[in-house]
Amino acid sequence: MEKNRIHIFDTTLRDGEQVPGCKLNTIEKVKIAKKLEFLGVDVIEAGFPISSPGDYQSVQEICKSVSNTVVCALSRAVEKDIEIAGIALKYAKLPRIHTGIGTSHYHIRYKFNSTPEKIIERAIHAVKYAKKYVEDVEFYAEDAGRTENEFLAKICENVIKYGATVINIPDTTGYCLPEEYGYKIRFLKENVKGIHKIILSTHCHNDLGLATANSLAGIMNGAEQVECTINGIGERAGNTSLEEIVMIIKQNNHLNLFTHINTKLISSMSHLVSKCTGMKVQANKAIVGMNAFSHSSGIHQDGIIKKRETYESINPEDVGIDQSSIILTARSGRAALSYRYKKLGHFLKKNSLDLVYSIFLKYADEKKEITDMELKTILEKANLNHKKNNKVLNNHHTNDRRINVL
Ligand code: KIV
Ligand code: ZN
């Protein structure tokens, strides 16, 4: 069965950057954009040009710096916004304007003090106006997560009629459950005339920790694009994280989906975004957290040393990490200790290992983690004890001069 392609729309530089304390300058944005292109994303949302001269300049510079990736600029359903977005995209080889309006009761009634009919008119006008600048126009129905499906279908049908090429269904407040969000996408797929002419997109926020699950539900129900950010950064609790959704697709062949992402660049991409934005990645973050491929309990370490797959379903090399790490703590066993000594060039036979292990435990009880330096100190201490007790150290020579058999 042929696999379906999922387009990856990266909004790290727009929704991701809308975070308190996260400010990127143009040089950093261009650097990230170039790396995103290298990573293989299909669309880079470069910014919201009307929002500030800096954002405008960044969008323009990104357009000049990437060539094979769609560059997208955000706007509200306001002529001036659209015009500025269109001008900022002037140098893009593949420009896209992302325009839209709130469609939920909350937005129509309280934000716009308007009516559903007038919102449809504004949506149509925005798409028509954006088409004057670019061919590729993406329409977003803000707060689609809390918008009634029938009204959403109506607005989608109208914007398709006027030339929208992509329709984005944001769960702006992270409100939906995966089942609901998946149903919404399926409903649109089955009830909107012309829906097969356009790309249907997910855009999920993580207020309940469901952004990735909702995006997955979306693509399992027919969406063809996922909007996401590196490290899941974004408004409030963030957006769907690119690395999670991409690896879910890669790990699950039976979904019959694929992306163009070179997953081996995920780890370095994550580091670059974290460094430039100053937003630290939590240690237990899936895929890119410091602990994502680290093992510290004795039982897991023993399993991993025997066969990596016992406690890892993802190969760290697939995301650009050389290998899993075995962290030495008071919960580590002899297998882990012996493994780490082997990496340092020492092969410990059983008796030596027992002795070294007893000293190691004393150190480990006082520290969170034992470093290579400390392992050397422990070994020296064990050697001294041997000598003190007048025992002969089990010191063999091997052909391999790098290995020290003790
Ligand atoms: O979350 C959202 O609704 C958005 C739109 C502006 C696309 O970011
Ligand atoms: Zn958003």
Side-chain angles (χ1 to χ4, degrees):
M1 195 168 148
E2 208 180 305
K3 288 190 170 191
N4 294 320
R5 173 168 170 203
I6 298 298
H7 296 249
I8 297 296
F9 175 117
D10 182 276
T11 182
T12 306
L13 299 175
R14 200 278 298 169
D15 221 345
E17 209 224 8
Q18 274 176 232
V19 172
C22 165
K23 189 83 200 96
L24 295 165
N25 61 37
T26 299
I27 295 169
E28 289 165 330
K29 284 190 182 177
V30 168
K31 196 167 173 189
I32 290 173
K34 282 184 173 167
K35 178 118 183 160
L36 284 170
E37 179 164 57
F38 211 48
L39 179 70
V41 306
D42 300 280
V43 186
I44 295 171
E45 187 162 48
F48 183 14
I50 190 98
S51 68
S52 74
D55 233 42
Y56 177 91
Q57 192 201 0
S58 298
V59 172
Q60 203 171 47
E61 292 308 315
I62 289 169
C63 290
K64 293 178 193 163
S65 314
V66 303
S67 22
N68 303 313
T69 312
V70 173
V71 180
C72 180
L74 187 79
S75 75
R76 292 165 296 183
V78 170
E79 283 191 3
K80 193 73 192 160
D81 278 36
I82 296 169
E83 185 189 324
I84 300 294
I87 300 169
L89 288 169
K90 193 169 88 184
Y91 298 106
K93 321 274 178 312
L94 302 164
R96 176 183 295 177
I97 291 179
H98 191 189
T99 188
I101 194 160
T103 55
S104 68
H105 166 72
Y106 294 99
H107 284 232
I108 299 175
R109 172 87 182 78
Y110 300 105
K111 190 166 135 185
F112 300 116
N113 189 22
S114 185
T115 62
E117 292 67 34
K118 285 192 184 134
I119 292 295
I120 293 182
E121 275 169 32
R122 279 189 65 179
I124 291 173
H125 183 70
V127 170
K128 274 168 62 180
Y129 198 72
K131 287 295 250 193
K132 290 186 188 198
Y133 296 90
V134 293
E135 177 45 40
D136 191 5
V137 175
E138 174 166 342
F139 174 78
Y140 64 84
E142 196 178 11
D143 205 13
R146 293 186 298 179
T147 302
E148 280 133 37
N149 292 342
E150 287 73 16
F151 179 62
L152 202 53
K154 198 164 161 192
I155 203 159
C156 288
E157 205 160 298
N158 274 286
V159 294
I160 292 173
K161 227 187 281 168
Y162 288 92
T165 48
V166 182
I167 294 184
N168 177 15
I169 306 299
D171 183 20
T172 307
T173 62
Y175 164 85
C176 289
L177 294 177
E179 203 186 6
E180 264 173 290
Y181 190 76
Y183 178 74
K184 195 174 278 291
I185 296 292
R186 178 155 298 275
F187 182 88
L188 297 175
K189 277 284 191 190
E190 290 174 354
N191 292 285
V192 173
K193 219 191 288 160
I195 196 92
H196 301 292
K197 290 194 286 194
I198 59 108
I199 291 176
L200 194 57
S201 183
T202 68
H203 178 115
C204 299
H205 279 269
N206 207 29
D207 299 67
L208 285 171
L210 289 172
T212 301
N214 282 341
S215 301
L216 176 62
I219 55 178
M220 285 173 77
N221 282 282
E224 296 99 351
Q225 176 177 281
V226 174
E227 306 198 358
C228 47
T229 60
I230 302 296
N231 301 335
I233 62 171
E235 281 278 5
R236 307 179 309 281
N239 289 58
T240 300
S241 96
L242 179 146
E243 57 278 7
E244 291 173 14
I245 195 72
V246 165
M247 288 311 290
I248 288 169
I249 293 171
K250 184 175 170 68
Q251 293 286 112
N252 291 279
N253 230 337
H254 63 278
L255 293 175
N256 266 317
L257 302 171
F258 73 99
T259 71
H260 278 179
I261 298 295
N262 177 356
T263 62
K264 289 190 189 296
L265 296 178
I266 282 179
S267 176
S268 56
M269 185 79 238
S270 160
H271 284 133
L272 177 67
V273 168
S274 173
K275 192 170 137 228
C276 293
T277 58
M279 307 271 305
K280 288 211 173 79
V281 177
Q282 76 192 57
N284 62 326
K285 166 82 179 63
I287 318 291
V288 292
M290 202 171 68
N291 293 349
F293 297 98
S294 299
H295 305 270
S296 71
S297 94
I299 296 170
H300 289 208
Q301 291 179 332
D302 183 51
I304 282 279
I305 291 165
K306 286 175 177 148
K307 187 144 180 78
R308 188 190 59 73
E309 286 83 351
T310 51
Y311 285 97
E312 269 176 7
S313 62
I314 304 166
N315 186 345
E317 286 176 13
D318 283 350
V319 295
I321 293 169
D322 287 349
Q323 55 186 198
S324 336
S325 18
I326 297 290
I327 308 294
L328 291 178
T329 69
R331 288 171 308 285
S332 300
R334 285 172 176 72
L337 188 63
S338 159
Y339 171 86
R340 283 282 298 272
Y341 269 119
K342 237 186 249 171
K343 294 197 116 209
L344 291 174
H346 303 287
F347 178 76
L348 303 187
K349 289 181 127 190
K350 186 172 178 320
N351 287 350
S352 310
L353 181 60
D354 285 344
L355 174 65
V356 170
Y357 186 65
S358 64
I359 302 172
F360 159 78
L361 279 183
K362 283 186 197 130
Y363 270 70
D365 267 337
E366 278 163 30
K367 308 207 70 190
K368 275 198 192 126
E369 189 184 327
I370 297 296
T371 63
D372 284 352
M373 230 16 207
E374 284 154 346
L375 284 180
K376 283 179 192 153
T377 310
I378 291 170
L379 203 56
E380 277 161 23
K381 220 169 180 148
N383 267 317
L384 275 179
N385 282 359
H386 265 298
K387 279 181 193 152
K388 237 196 280 166
N389 294 338
N390 260 345
K391 284 181 194 156
V392 182
L393 192 68
N394 223 348
N395 203 350
H396 295 255
H397 293 284
T398 62
N399 290 337
D400 184 346
R401 295 184 57 213
R402 285 166 304 154
I403 303 265
N404 217 356
V405 181
L406 299 173

